Amino acid sequence: MDCKSLVGGKIGLVTGATSGIGKSSAVELAKLGVNLIITGRRDSLLRELQKELETKYGVKALPLKLDVRNSGEVDSVLGALPTEWKDIDILINNAGLARGTAKVHLNSLEEIDSMVDTNVKGLLYVTRAVVPQMVARKAEGIIINIGSVAGNISYGGGAVYCGTKAAVRYISDGLRIDLVDTPIRVTNVEPGLVETEFSIVRFAGDRDKAKKVYTGIEALTPDDIALVVAYIVNLPKNIQIPEIIITPAHQADSVHKHYE
Ligand code: NDP
Ligand code: 8X3
């Protein structure tokens, strides 16, 4: 455990920990000595990560198969946590996705539902399952929502995704206001291009198409975002960062990017 950690021994919950930003964030938090509830739909990847966190970083990890779109599952799984895992202090609302690049009036119902249900409703379901116990315990909690630069400026072919991330930004702001009389801090982390499975999911498994998104530009890595997540989590308790935008050097916002 890092001896400068202010959060060693605390309990964190990361949604979407099977891949990308969520997985890297779990690793960085484990380096700070945080015991971790790791969630996602792909059970075998959760178990692999559990092993890595426990053996490499010496923290405890609890893998929980959880689809954030399913409110009943969120309530029953997170409502039945073993006693030693109930007092969650750190919540990383990360699970999310984009589907396709169709014009908004041509998006399929499945694309619309999966983005809205995961990125907006799922985040709200997890928040309502976790935050009340933080408030009741007067915990010095920290909530990080993974938004996006796409939530600040919309782009063609991404209206639904951008709309969901704008919602995440406004939900983060509202949550921060609702918790202003508590010690809990809320940060909306807004990354630009990060090379993860994100584009593979967006393009329904077409890896060549996904690769092109990051060809000619040095994208961020999920580890880059995880460093920022760990930095925020490990700040002294009087410091709150309401939002933070992180882009590669050659990206100015969700629209302006320079490809070599
Ligand atoms: P990945 O596809 O690599 O990871 C997405 C994670 O979300 C996976 O662990 C996946 O787990 C999980 N997830 C998706 N749907 C669900 C669901 N219904 N229930 C539970 N977990 C789910 O992408 P990223 O790491 O890039 O994405 C993480 C977050 O970062 C997302 O919110 C994304 O919008 C945001 N973001 C990404 C950027 C990028 O350029 N990559 C930029 C800005 C923001 P599983 O499939 O196992 O359920
Ligand atoms: C993903 C970043 O710019 O591809 O949230 O929309 S972007």
Side-chain angles (χ1 to χ4, degrees):
M1 185 181 104
D2 184 334
C3 59
K4 285 181 291 190
S5 174
L6 302 178
V7 288
K10 288 190 182 282
I11 297 171
L13 186 154
V14 181
T15 67
T18 56
S19 168
I21 294 169
K23 182 178 179 185
S24 291
S25 297
V27 168
E28 282 306 316
L29 293 180
K31 289 182 191 169
L32 291 172
V34 176
N35 297 314
L36 286 156
I37 302 169
I38 45 176
T39 73
R41 292 166 301 175
R42 288 171 289 177
D43 211 16
S44 60
L45 295 181
L46 291 174
R47 283 175 199 289
E48 275 173 31
L49 180 60
Q50 175 193 22
K51 232 178 261 164
E52 180 183 345
L53 298 176
E54 291 184 342
T55 55
K56 253 178 143 167
Y57 306 106
V59 297
K60 287 182 227 149
L62 179 68
L64 293 178
K65 188 171 181 299
L66 187 62
D67 185 333
V68 297
R69 292 171 300 181
N70 184 331
S71 58
E73 195 175 299
V74 170
D75 280 353
S76 63
V77 171
L78 298 182
L81 288 172
T83 313
E84 67 272 26
W85 287 99
K86 278 190 193 301
D87 292 348
I88 298 165
D89 281 315
I90 300 161
L91 169 61
I92 314 293
N93 269 321
N94 163 77
L97 79 178
R99 294 285 314 281
T101 52
K103 290 180 188 287
V104 61
H105 51 287
L106 300 174
N107 270 130
S108 70
L109 291 177
E110 205 273 330
E111 287 168 346
I112 293 170
D113 287 346
S114 70
M115 288 186 268
V116 174
D117 290 351
T118 309
N119 302 357
V120 182
K121 292 168 74 178
L123 179 144
L124 289 168
Y125 296 157
V126 174
T127 300
R128 72 181 285 286
V130 172
V131 176
Q133 58 77 31
M134 281 187 192
V135 175
R137 289 187 297 116
K138 298 184 169 39
E140 287 163 10
I142 187 140
I143 301 160
I144 294 186
N145 292 334
I146 305 294
S148 170
V149 291
N152 303 337
I153 303 178
S154 197
Y155 53 80
V160 178
Y161 179 69
C162 295
T164 65
K165 290 300 180 177
V168 169
R169 186 178 179 201
Y170 276 77
I171 289 165
S172 302
D173 288 347
L175 185 61
R176 192 178 312 107
I177 294 163
D178 287 341
L179 296 173
V180 74
D181 58 349
T182 78
I184 302 166
R185 293 160 291 160
V186 180
T187 302
N188 195 43
V189 170
E190 300 158 20
L193 283 177
V194 189
E195 189 162 1
T196 61
E197 293 179 9
F198 179 83
S199 292
I200 298 170
V201 171
R202 174 170 239 170
F203 296 120
D206 185 335
R207 285 174 182 269
D208 291 338
K209 218 168 163 184
K211 194 75 203 160
K212 286 200 181 104
V213 175
Y214 312 106
T215 303
I217 190 165
E218 190 180 346
L220 298 167
T221 68
D223 292 353
D224 295 332
I225 306 301
L227 287 177
V228 176
V229 166
Y231 167 76
I232 294 165
V233 165
N234 202 33
L235 284 169
K237 65 180 183 183
N238 62 318
I239 302 176
Q240 172 168 250
I241 299 189
E243 62 178 330
I244 183 164
I245 302 172
I246 313 146
T247 63
H250 288 305
Q251 179 176 20
D253 53 39
S254 67
V255 175
H256 297 93
K257 300 168 207 166
H258 174 70
Y259 285 83
E260 300 279 339

